[in-house]
Amino acid sequence: MSYKTEATWFYYLKGRSIELYQRSDYGRTDTLGSYKIRLPDDSSGTYFIYPDEDITDGLRIEYTSLDTPFVSEALEDMQIFTDGSDISFSGNQISGVGTSDGFASGDKIRIIGSKSNDGDYTTTSAGSTTLDDSTTTFTTETAGESITVYQIPKTVTTSSADESSHVNLNRMLSLACVDYLKAMLADRDGDIERKEYYMREFWGKVGDNESNKRKISMSLPASPYAMR
Amino acid sequence: MTIQELMERANMKESGLALAWLKDAFHLLQSNSTEDLKTVKYNIIDGERDYLIPQDMIALNNISVKDTSDDKYKRIRRLTVQPITSEDTDPE
């Protein structure tokens, strides 16, 4: 059983690989039943060992990718969500949420808060208080849990993106992209001064977008080794 | 805002080129900020040290390991110096 992983596990980046290490403070260990035991043939000390147990889905990597540059609907038009304890699941159907909440057939939705149906789905039909996903069989769940359903961007593959698609960015960053296009046009024309001007405008809008998120008070969790 | 609208604002007519440049802009944004994060989970295997970085990664945000004692993923820290073993033919 892994414990205090924030303090006992480490990684090292090596080219395209991540090397995982565990810190061992107790010499060489083994697992007997569900107990960790220290082997008597080894001296104690602190050193790194390789992962010494199987953990299903144990390594979680969060990163940015070029996976979804284009979406079918503007982000600012996707403020559709509903929550409540009257949402239930059975077969291919979610009950208690539907077109009366603003959802439509073909929407990509995310469910959180359910006992066993959290995840992303794409609706294949929608009634006033029901949503269906014919490709999924939900785990039957009666109403009672506090569940939230909200719309998320529906990806358009790069090969099928066209003028009617949207960039997977909010309006401010979409406007920044206009400056980027102007900068690239200037670059193509060999007008470096104009290109630099538009790139400055681009980064200015990116900066504004970031600072727009930070006009609120923040509280930060203390690190494990912070002075108290 | 549709790509058509972006092209009109930039006074641009070639949609193929606009899509390519918009993809470049998205790449640049993803490289410098955490606009749209993606998550993958791998199984940790006893005695296995090396795990592949996702091939579609632009920028790494964080790495966590599941604490099975309370079923939470906790961010782990990066070593700045590699431990001395470069290859281990008998990891157990």
Side-chain angles (χ1 to χ4, degrees):
Chain A
M1 176 182 279
S2 62
Y3 65 99
K4 290 186 180 174
T5 52
E6 77 281 13
T8 55
W9 288 69
F10 300 86
Y11 71 93
Y12 178 77
L13 290 175
K14 186 180 180 188
R16 293 180 182 171
S17 294
I18 294 164
E19 294 183 352
L20 267 188
Y21 294 97
Q22 263 184 281
R23 194 187 71 199
S24 172
D25 294 325
Y26 307 103
R28 213 150 61 87
T29 61
D30 205 348
T31 305
L32 186 64
S34 58
Y35 296 98
K36 283 265 180 224
I37 56 165
R38 184 183 146 200
L39 298 176
D41 63 341
D42 206 39
S43 61
S44 62
T46 299
Y47 51 90
F48 289 121
I49 58 173
Y50 294 173
D52 73 340
E53 62 184 304
D54 294 331
I55 308 175
T56 306
D57 286 340
L59 177 62
R60 181 181 187 275
I61 304 172
E62 209 168 23
Y63 63 100
T64 58
S65 80
L66 197 54
D67 209 24
T68 54
F70 303 113
V71 291
S72 60
E73 203 172 338
L75 296 191
E76 55 269 21
D77 295 336
M78 272 191 281
Q79 296 307 311
I80 299 172
F81 75 97
T82 188
D83 48 14
S85 53
D86 59 340
I87 297 168
S88 59
F89 302 85
S90 179
N92 307 111
Q93 195 167 72
I94 311 166
S95 303
V97 53
T99 53
S100 56
D101 300 297
F103 292 98
S105 176
D107 281 353
K108 195 166 181 189
I109 57 168
R110 178 164 293 165
I111 296 169
I112 56 172
S114 77
K115 262 185 190 162
S116 25
N117 292 300
D118 282 7
D120 298 346
Y121 305 95
T122 303
T123 60
T124 50
S125 65
S128 63
T129 58
T130 56
L131 292 175
D132 288 8
D133 179 0
S134 60
T135 61
T136 303
T137 304
F138 293 106
T139 305
T140 302
E141 203 175 316
T142 54
E145 293 287 324
S146 181
I147 296 169
T148 301
V149 182
Y150 59 96
Q151 192 184 1
I152 57 172
K154 192 175 175 188
T155 307
V156 176
T157 57
T158 306
S159 56
S160 58
D162 58 21
E163 292 95 330
S164 64
S165 307
H166 299 257
V167 186
N168 186 12
L169 298 169
N170 63 24
R171 188 176 168 81
M172 177 63 97
L173 291 177
S174 294
L175 289 171
C177 284
V178 174
D179 290 318
Y180 187 84
L181 291 180
K182 287 178 178 174
M184 290 301 107
L185 285 169
D187 187 54
R188 189 174 65 175
D189 295 342
D191 189 343
I192 301 303
E193 204 173 319
R194 196 155 59 96
K195 178 200 169 184
E196 291 301 320
Y197 169 77
Y198 282 119
M199 283 311 287
R200 274 198 301 276
E201 290 287 304
F202 170 76
W203 287 117
K205 288 190 176 74
V206 174
D208 284 351
N209 182 67
E210 283 301 309
S211 59
N212 285 344
K213 299 174 193 169
R214 290 168 168 75
K215 286 175 180 165
I216 51 173
S217 62
M218 292 187 296
S219 62
L220 301 171
S223 76
Y225 300 114
M227 297 291 285
R228 292 172 205 275
Chain B
M1 196 181 290
T2 62
I3 288 166
Q4 173 85 43
E5 287 175 273
L6 297 180
M7 288 169 59
E8 284 169 0
R9 282 165 195 256
N11 197 20
M12 202 177 166
K13 291 183 177 64
E14 309 100 313
S15 60
L17 188 59
L19 285 168
W21 281 346
L22 287 171
K23 208 172 158 186
D24 292 347
F26 188 77
H27 193 142
L28 207 53
L29 289 169
Q30 288 284 68
S31 179
N32 288 278
S33 64
T34 51
E35 194 52 35
D36 186 28
L37 286 172
K38 190 177 171 185
T39 303
V40 292
K41 288 174 184 170
Y42 297 137
N43 292 343
I44 291 177
I45 299 156
D46 187 359
E48 180 62 50
R49 177 190 62 174
D50 299 300
Y51 298 84
L52 266 186
I53 288 176
Q55 303 291 346
D56 61 340
M57 186 185 86
I58 294 176
L60 182 64
N61 188 256
N62 68 70
I63 293 179
S64 314
V65 168
K66 190 176 187 178
D67 186 333
T68 53
S69 65
D70 61 3
D71 277 336
K72 288 180 174 52
Y73 287 92
K74 295 176 178 171
R75 286 177 61 165
I76 62 172
R77 286 171 292 165
R78 185 169 69 89
L79 294 172
T80 51
V81 179
Q82 186 184 24
I84 55 169
T85 306
S86 60
E87 185 178 344
D88 190 345
T89 54
D90 184 17
E92 286 299 319

